[in-house]
Amino acid sequence: MRRHPSFVLVVLACVLAIGVTAVWLQAQTAKEPDTVLMKRATIGVVTFEHKLHAHDRKAACETCHHPARPGMPMKTPHQACSTCHVAKPAAPMKTSNRDAFHDALARKGVCIDCHIELNAKAATKVVAPVRCATCHIKEKA
Ligand code: HEC
Ligand code: HEC
Ligand code: HEC
Ligand code: HEC
């Protein structure tokens, strides 16, 4: 069956548009960090080894980077948590920056659940930090 030339053009235009969008998205996407210094908590800086966690320790991206929520699209596929989760979130957002990582006593949360599970498996010594001061390190003066 012969297609009308304008149909072919429309298809080509679509293919081009998809290609341009893909390149644009790539440009918008931040590079995966090696180490992130997370400085928002006054009790101390968390040195988060992103590369170690995501690759050597094989934590799946989705463990921490959840998909976009209704009414709150992601600007990039792995947008920094802190751009949405702030200290005092404005309604309808409920999850504060702290709650994005752990609850008030650091007994559960994205960063804690796996550490607790790991430490429970290790019979002799604690391997991953679960106490405030082992994650939040006071900077030397
Ligand atoms: C254990 C949790 C965790 C895992 C697993 C993880 N990330 Fe992240 N990622 C983070 C945190 C925390 C940040 C820093 C966010 C901030 O500063 O608010 C981050 C930042 C990033 C950024 C930079 C975002 C920006 O705009 O600055 C990219 C890109 C990224 N991650 C991609 C990935 C990819 C791809 C994977 C899987 C291969 C992955 N991450 C796995 C927690 C994680
Ligand atoms: C584009 C904005 C946005 C980004 C970026 C984002 N979040 Fe969220 N997050 C939300 C929204 C919206 C909710 C829904 C709950 C609410 O209203 O607080 C949520 C909920 C959560 C929750 C509560 C449990 C749940 O699944 O509903 C956790 C934990 C969380 N985010 C962690 C993170 C972490 C860790 C990162 C970065 C790796 C991150 N978020 C990045 C918008 C975002
Ligand atoms: C899927 C499991 C998993 C998740 C989720 C996870 N961790 Fe870890 N974490 C580990 C492992 C494994 C170690 C290494 C323990 C050891 O030394 O044997 C570790 C160690 C650490 C350490 C000690 C220094 C280092 O990197 O060796 C810090 C700090 C840390 N994690 C912070 C975080 C933060 C912050 C988050 C959330 C953004 C997080 N972790 C989420 C598995 C996890
Ligand atoms: C596994 C590591 C880990 C442990 C253990 C931990 N935290 Fe955190 N906490 C984080 C990370 C990562 C953030 C995000 C910091 C940022 O965005 O700069 C955070 C954020 C916070 C914030 C919010 C800062 C803000 O204003 O946005 C507070 C408050 C906080 N933690 C207090 C505590 C307390 C108190 C404890 C002990 C009960 C604790 N944390 C244990 C990793 C940890």
Side-chain angles (χ1 to χ4, degrees):
M1 190 171 100
R2 273 206 56 165
R3 297 283 189 195
H4 193 275
S6 68
F7 174 82
V8 177
L9 274 179
V10 166
V11 169
L12 278 178
C14 288
V15 169
L16 186 71
I18 291 167
V20 168
T21 310
V23 170
W24 178 80
L25 271 178
Q26 193 76 42
Q28 299 298 300
T29 305
K31 218 177 148 283
E32 223 187 293
D34 283 354
T35 305
V36 193
L37 292 182
M38 306 187 76
K39 301 180 175 172
R40 283 175 196 85
T42 49
I43 58 165
V45 178
V46 178
T47 304
F48 175 54
E49 298 295 350
H50 191 280
K51 189 163 172 274
L52 275 182
H53 276 82
H55 298 282
D56 304 51
R57 292 166 185 164
K58 301 193 167 42
C61 312
E62 312 77 60
T63 313
C64 307
H65 296 277
H66 61 70
R69 297 302 164 89
M72 206 154 185
M74 296 271 171
K75 293 195 181 84
T76 61
H78 304 96
Q79 191 179 329
C81 323
S82 49
T83 54
C84 296
H85 295 285
V86 294
K88 290 189 173 68
M93 171 66 103
K94 292 192 293 276
T95 313
S96 69
N97 189 45
R98 187 202 64 206
D99 291 343
F101 300 98
H102 59 75
D103 66 357
L105 297 175
R107 298 235 171 95
K108 53 183 164 63
V110 167
C111 301
I112 301 290
D113 297 344
C114 173
H115 286 186
I116 289 178
E117 207 182 302
L118 276 171
N119 295 345
K121 278 190 215 144
T124 49
K125 64 172 184 359
V126 174
V127 287
V130 290
R131 289 176 39 243
C132 317
T134 44
C135 262
H136 294 277
I137 315 279
K138 271 275 179 219
E139 271 176 316
K140 289 189 196 90

